[in-house]
Amino acid sequence: MKAVAVFLLVLCYLAVSHAWTCRDAPRLYNVKQVDAGQGKVVARDSNYYVYFLSGSSWYRLGSLRLKHVSVGPAGIWGTDTSNKVYKYIAGNFVGATGLSMQQVDAGGDGQVVGVSSSQSSYCLRSSLALAYKGVGSLSWNSLSRTMRYYSCGPLYGCWGVDTRSQVYVTQRITATSCGTTGWTQVPGLTMRMVEVGTDGNVFGVAANSSVYQRVGISHVHPQGTGWVSVSMCMPITHLSYDLGQLWVVTNSGLLLQCSN
Ligand SMILES: *[C@@H]1O[C@H](CO)[C@@H](O)[C@H](O)[C@H]1NC(C)=O
């Protein structure tokens, strides 16, 4: 089955020529989620184990099982199937008390953002996120907007998708206070998830599992000017972008590494 999928992938990329070229990433089976930041790549498989890429090998991170993992300036953070929040400390994931989150993102300028199971969005100030050593309760700031998925970068703020799959951006989020400049709705397509890279590049997965890049993002146009299709040949469920590499997870659990 795996061999067939890889064979189809090769055929697909021989047949289609476009700006992004994908290849099979170093092999990890049944990948469900990926996150890349500051040169690091982490992924979660269908058994809820978390892995870290080094060279062409994946190494299991810690012994706990997580649902979502994120790596960035704030460290490595994750959530489990009970929506408990974890930080990677001294070689293992350590659970934190405080609010429960279904998804967290460590890609901001030291702050951590999260979405609770009631789809409320929260931010953990950089001083608290960076210093947390597994003791005491985390004190989250409310971000007063309902979101289903949330991602931040240090350069161009945070991008989120609400329960109606509408995309929003906040250009400025102050890591030390979690203050934001307010949200701008991004016109155009609806998305299942969006991720913003450390350099401000934004990619999303649409409802029909197609991949898009948001183009024209600048300080004048923080919401960008349009979505450009990134042809993938296979239905995609999750993605992450960092330092020129786009990591995509296919519906069948393959991890592809794409560059242009
Ligand atoms: C996905 O949706 C977009 C926007 O509606 C559309 O342009 C595109 O052709 C669709 N892709 C597939 C594979 O159905």
Side-chain angles (χ1 to χ4, degrees):
M1 184 58 209
K2 223 74 204 181
V4 171
V6 173
F7 179 64
L8 289 175
L9 175 69
V10 170
L11 278 186
C12 165
Y13 286 100
L14 285 175
V16 181
S17 74
H18 53 76
W20 290 84
T21 313
C22 302
R23 61 180 194 276
D24 222 9
R27 180 57 55 83
L28 182 65
Y29 291 104
N30 299 316
V31 177
K32 291 293 172 192
Q33 185 246 320
V34 65
D35 197 58
Q38 294 189 310
K40 299 159 193 143
V41 184
V42 291
R44 188 272 282 182
D45 72 5
S46 57
N47 289 320
Y48 297 95
Y49 285 118
V50 171
Y51 297 84
F52 184 91
L53 180 61
S54 176
S56 55
S57 302
W58 292 91
Y59 296 89
R60 212 167 98 186
L61 274 185
S63 51
L64 295 181
R65 290 148 73 109
L66 299 185
K67 166 172 76 172
H68 187 97
V69 65
S70 179
V71 61
I76 303 175
W77 291 73
T79 55
D80 70 7
T81 52
S82 323
N83 298 325
K84 191 178 172 77
V85 175
Y86 293 83
K87 183 182 182 182
Y88 194 68
I89 300 169
N92 213 344
F93 286 100
V94 178
T97 50
L99 293 175
S100 306
M101 298 290 157
Q102 57 174 11
Q103 182 240 331
V104 288
D105 191 273
D109 192 17
Q111 84 275 17
V112 173
V113 293
V115 173
S116 74
S117 52
S118 60
Q119 263 95 33
S120 297
S121 53
Y122 291 92
C123 173
L124 184 65
R125 297 191 298 278
S126 55
S127 55
L128 299 178
L130 293 168
Y132 186 68
K133 46 179 182 272
V135 183
S137 181
L138 294 176
S139 172
W140 297 83
N141 287 38
S142 170
L143 283 179
S144 71
R145 194 167 262 286
T146 310
M147 287 291 169
R148 193 173 60 192
Y149 197 95
Y150 217 150
S151 168
C152 293
L155 280 185
Y156 290 104
C158 300
W159 288 65
V161 173
D162 73 4
T163 49
R164 294 176 305 125
S165 303
Q166 303 284 339
V167 181
Y168 290 85
V169 60
T170 184
Q171 187 179 9
R172 296 268 350 134
I173 177 162
T174 307
T176 49
S177 65
C178 283
T180 65
T181 52
W183 295 86
T184 304
Q185 189 174 342
V186 178
L189 298 173
T190 52
M191 293 285 157
R192 203 185 290 161
M193 61 152 299
V194 284
E195 280 277 342
V196 50
T198 333
D199 61 4
N201 269 293
V202 174
F203 291 85
V205 178
N208 63 8
S209 305
S210 301
V211 173
Y212 290 88
Q213 178 174 15
R214 189 73 190 172
V215 295
I217 296 169
S218 64
H219 284 293
V220 184
H221 293 290
Q223 73 277 32
T225 52
W227 292 107
V228 170
S229 170
V230 180
S231 170
M232 279 295 155
C233 307
M234 278 190 248
I236 301 302
T237 54
H238 201 265
L239 58 74
S240 186
Y241 170 88
D242 181 48
L243 302 176
Q245 304 292 312
L246 178 64
W247 303 84
V248 300
V249 177
T250 72
N251 211 13
S252 54
L254 285 175
L255 181 65
L256 309 180
Q257 182 179 351
C258 314
S259 56
N260 68 352

